Amino acid sequence: MLKSLRIKNYAIIDDLSIDFEDGFNVFTGETGAGKSIIFGALSLLFKGRSDTSLIKHGKDKAIIEGVFSIKDDYIKKLLDEQDIEYDDELIIKRVFSVDNHNSIKVNQSNVTLNFLNELLNPFIDIHSQKDNQLLYVKSYQLLLLDKFSNNSDLLNKYHIAYNNYLSLKKQYEDLKNNTYSEREIEFYKYDLNELEEANIDINEEEELETNEKLFKENEKYAQIYNEAYDLYNKDNGIKEQLYSLLQSINSIDDNLNDKVLSYKNKFEEDYYSLDENISQILLYLKSLNDNDLNIEAIEERLYIYNKLKRKHKCDTNGLITLKEELKAKIEAFEDRDKVLNEKLNEVNKSLETINKIGEELSVSRKNNAKELERLILIETNELLLKNCKFEILVNNVEPNSNGLDDVDFLVCMNKGEELKPLRNIASGGEVSRLMLALKSVFSKISSTDLLILDEIDTGVSGNVANVVGEKIAKISKNTQVLCISHLALVAAYADSHYLIYKEDDNVETTTKVKKLSTDDIIKELASMSSSDNNTKALAAASEIYNKAQKTKSEI
């Protein structure tokens, strides 16, 4: 669950902190107070791309930070893979700077937006006001069906096969459309012969470069060896002088002084130790130069590599790829029909593969569509869409990036009418309830820990608003819910109620948030229901609140 949220220097928010509770958290306030700004910041924290235009005027950066409790082993596994330390909390911090030096941190460790999405997407569901309109879009309907059907692995398998099919198809079309002249083929043959004679090998080049570097380093050590050897071993060099000094010291009478005798013996030990160490160092330096590296042959081979890379403007891997491409072009020219037939066979085999996987997808979608229909109708009935009929139509189409199916949500809201595409007949309030029905279904079958609802009660009122509030309360029994609402009948079901309001001084306007006490909740519900906060309005609000809380306790 989301335990707390901090927003600083974002839009008209100065520095705002909110502590959340488990269950149903509702946000209310006048239009323009900043409810959508707060929910926009939440969305940005979880998955949105940076938008520096929302940094508060006059500030150089905005900060959004959320603290979550960690329960799921999936999150712990991902954190372990990234060597991110954690205990029982997950702290996500995003910083947006006017100079675009933005950052994303998870428990003080920098991460990418892709990693953040991978970490949170399975557990957070954000419903914005525009998502109701998405229900009209057939591709979104297909996405919902696939999510319900747990088709992610099958879809991934299909996408790999489909992309391979597109690649092979393009290769075939290029071969079919490309025609080369005799002169072009002669150039290709010349370049191919040059590459084959060069016998390009990425491993050889790396070995050549290593040996060249080693040879140059050895040259440096050879110079050190020569200088050191001469200094130490030449006539009247350091070794001879030290030995002469040793002989002179050894001539001192051993009975002269015990202390002098000790120094004399120590000097003799040090002399032979020094001589041994220097001899070993010189021996090692000499061995570095005792190798069979042929620097002329090395540099000659590297010259060939570099000349070809300059000529063809690519690296060594590019030369290897070019060689295969030239072979293919020459072969396609000299045996065009054979090459085209072989490539066409590859295309057809890949098409068979995507049809096979696509058929598996279709079976899964059609089987699960019936179950999703059944569950949605249960939910819509509870949301007072008593006459609602709902059907998911799965039609076969030509292979595309989504498989072999086209999906259409068909609905009928009134008796005596026939099923028609959702986009053609449903009102705004009906779509809001249908979306809530979907959220309710998915909250029961998925691992969603946090559901964020931005005005999902749009277009409803009266008793319908009451059942919408009750439905959100039911969802919140297993999933933490953050919800913006303009309806007292919905807000009355909340476990925690937050008022969002604007505060003006002589300099600026800022958005503030206050968690309401029971008395303040009743006053806010009265304001939402009536323009006056008189005794009658307060009494009505108190009745709404108490009734909703009693109903919620019995869920």
Side-chain angles (χ1 to χ4, degrees), residues 142-159:
L142 180 59
L143 184 150
L144 289 173
L145 178 57
D146 279 329
K147 183 178 179 181
F148 179 79
S149 306
N150 286 320
N151 282 338
S152 58
D153 290 342
L154 200 53
L155 269 171
N156 186 54
K157 186 179 175 183
Y158 178 85
H159 287 150

Side-chain angles (χ1 to χ4, degrees), residues 388-450:
C388 177
K389 295 178 184 176
F390 180 80
E391 183 179 315
I392 300 174
L393 188 63
V394 182
N395 292 317
N396 289 114
V397 295
E398 290 297 311
N400 59 64
S401 59
N402 293 319
L404 311 180
D405 305 302
D406 175 65
V407 168
D408 211 350
F409 284 7
L410 306 180
V411 296
C412 170
M413 295 296 182
N414 302 301
K415 288 181 179 180
E417 294 182 356
E418 59 183 27
L419 287 161
K420 293 181 181 179
L422 173 65
R423 60 189 172 278
N424 292 346
I425 62 169
S427 68
E430 288 168 339
V431 171
S432 292
R433 278 183 279 172
L434 189 56
M435 178 62 86
L436 186 56
L438 283 163
K439 297 294 182 186
S440 181
V441 169
F442 282 103
S443 72
K444 293 172 184 175
I445 65 168
S446 70
S447 56
T448 302
D449 287 335
L450 174 60

Side-chain angles (χ1 to χ4, degrees), residues 201-218:
D201 185 325
I202 187 70
N203 294 322
E204 184 205 23
E205 183 185 31
E206 290 173 356
E207 185 179 349
L208 288 167
E209 290 172 342
T210 300
N211 287 337
E212 182 186 42
K213 182 179 178 183
L214 180 61
F215 185 88
K216 289 178 178 177
E217 287 178 348
N218 290 350

Side-chain angles (χ1 to χ4, degrees), residues 244-509:
S244 295
L245 179 59
L246 176 64
Q247 293 297 101
S248 296
I249 291 173
N250 279 340
S251 67
I252 299 172
D253 188 348
D254 290 347
N255 297 318
L256 181 65
N257 183 289
D258 289 343
K259 197 168 186 179
V260 171
L261 178 61
S262 171
Y263 287 137
K264 174 184 166 183
N265 293 336
K266 181 71 168 58
F267 181 79
E268 186 172 6
E269 289 176 10
D270 289 346
Y271 168 78
Y272 286 112
S273 176
L274 176 65
D275 185 58
E276 175 65 18
N277 288 336
I278 290 175
S279 297
Q280 290 298 322
I281 291 171
L282 291 174
L283 190 64
Y284 174 73
L285 289 173
K286 186 175 184 299
S287 72
L288 291 177
N289 224 33
D290 292 342
N291 57 61
D292 56 356
L293 293 178
N294 185 339
I295 189 60
E296 291 182 0
I298 290 171
E299 290 180 339
E300 184 178 341
R301 280 295 289 159
L302 284 174
Y303 172 76
I304 293 172
Y305 276 91
N306 292 326
K307 182 183 75 170
L308 290 171
K309 286 191 286 188
R310 285 194 301 271
K311 176 181 177 179
H312 297 290
K313 296 182 175 60
C314 63
D315 60 13
T316 304
N317 282 323
L319 292 175
I320 294 169
T321 302
L322 175 63
K323 186 170 75 169
E324 297 306 313
E325 289 175 351
L326 291 172
K327 283 182 182 177
K329 287 178 180 178
I330 294 167
E331 185 182 0
F333 177 82
E334 294 179 342
D335 203 348
R336 178 178 174 79
D337 291 340
K338 177 187 173 185
V339 172
L340 280 173
N341 285 332
E342 287 176 350
K343 187 59 67 176
L344 183 58
N345 285 335
E346 289 184 55
V347 172
N348 290 334
K349 284 181 181 178
S350 69
L351 182 59
E352 289 175 9
T353 300
I354 64 172
N355 279 325
K356 182 181 177 182
I357 302 170
E359 190 57 39
E360 290 181 61
L361 260 178
S362 292
V363 170
S364 174
R365 286 164 173 168
K366 289 171 183 176
N367 289 341
N368 284 286
K370 295 301 177 185
E371 178 61 11
L372 182 55
E373 289 171 6
R374 186 184 71 82
L375 293 174
I376 286 176
L377 286 172
I378 292 172
E379 298 291 337
T380 54
N381 186 62
E382 292 180 2
L383 288 165
L384 301 187
L385 293 170
K386 301 290 186 181
N387 298 318
C388 177
K389 295 178 184 176
F390 180 80
E391 183 179 315
I392 300 174
L393 188 63
V394 182
N395 292 317
N396 289 114
V397 295
E398 290 297 311
N400 59 64
S401 59
N402 293 319
L404 311 180
D405 305 302
D406 175 65
V407 168
D408 211 350
F409 284 7
L410 306 180
V411 296
C412 170
M413 295 296 182
N414 302 301
K415 288 181 179 180
E417 294 182 356
E418 59 183 27
L419 287 161
K420 293 181 181 179
L422 173 65
R423 60 189 172 278
N424 292 346
I425 62 169
S427 68
E430 288 168 339
V431 171
S432 292
R433 278 183 279 172
L434 189 56
M435 178 62 86
L436 186 56
L438 283 163
K439 297 294 182 186
S440 181
V441 169
F442 282 103
S443 72
K444 293 172 184 175
I445 65 168
S446 70
S447 56
T448 302
D449 287 335
L450 174 60
L451 177 60
I452 299 173
L453 303 173
D454 186 358
E455 297 188 16
I456 200 163
D457 52 12
T458 298
V460 302
S461 59
N463 196 34
V464 173
N466 186 62
V467 297
V468 166
E470 185 178 347
K471 178 61 67 178
I472 297 174
K474 283 183 179 179
I475 294 173
S476 72
K477 288 295 180 180
N478 299 309
T479 301
Q480 184 187 28
V481 177
L482 274 57
C483 175
I484 290 177
S485 178
H486 288 294
L487 301 176
L489 288 169
V490 173
Y493 280 89
D495 297 296
S496 302
H497 193 139
Y498 301 85
L499 176 65
I500 301 177
Y501 61 98
K502 282 182 179 178
E503 194 172 83
D504 294 316
D505 57 24
N506 293 328
V507 179
E508 62 181 1
T509 299

